[in-house]
Amino acid sequence: MKLHIESMTCGGCARSVTAAVKEIDPAAVVEIDVPSRIVQIQTTQAAERITQALESAGFPPQVQG
């Protein structure tokens, strides 16, 4: 899944995003590009659960392609 998170502006934000995903799926693979604010996640969880976790953490995502 590929997400754009407008509010993710620094390394600290990226760590918070990763932590929110890992809380739902500890085995998830999270790749983050802070300058473009793109997060790629490989997970067995439903996209809705991941996006809800990110929204709850203060990082509302927009699903990309």
Side-chain angles (χ1 to χ4, degrees):
M1 132 184 9
K2 186 175 183 180
L3 305 171
H4 179 264
I5 302 178
E6 187 63 34
S7 60
M8 182 181 67
T9 58
C10 65
C13 295
R15 284 189 292 280
S16 296
V17 166
T18 300
V21 172
K22 296 279 190 174
E23 198 170 296
I24 300 297
D25 180 4
V29 177
V30 182
E31 296 178 17
I32 296 179
D33 181 33
V34 174
S36 67
R37 300 179 181 168
I38 296 293
V39 180
Q40 294 194 49
I41 304 168
Q42 294 176 1
T43 180
T44 57
Q45 295 295 317
E48 186 175 291
R49 284 198 70 204
I50 298 295
T51 57
Q52 285 176 348
L54 290 169
E55 286 174 13
S56 294
F59 296 97
Q62 296 176 325
V63 177
Q64 302 289 297

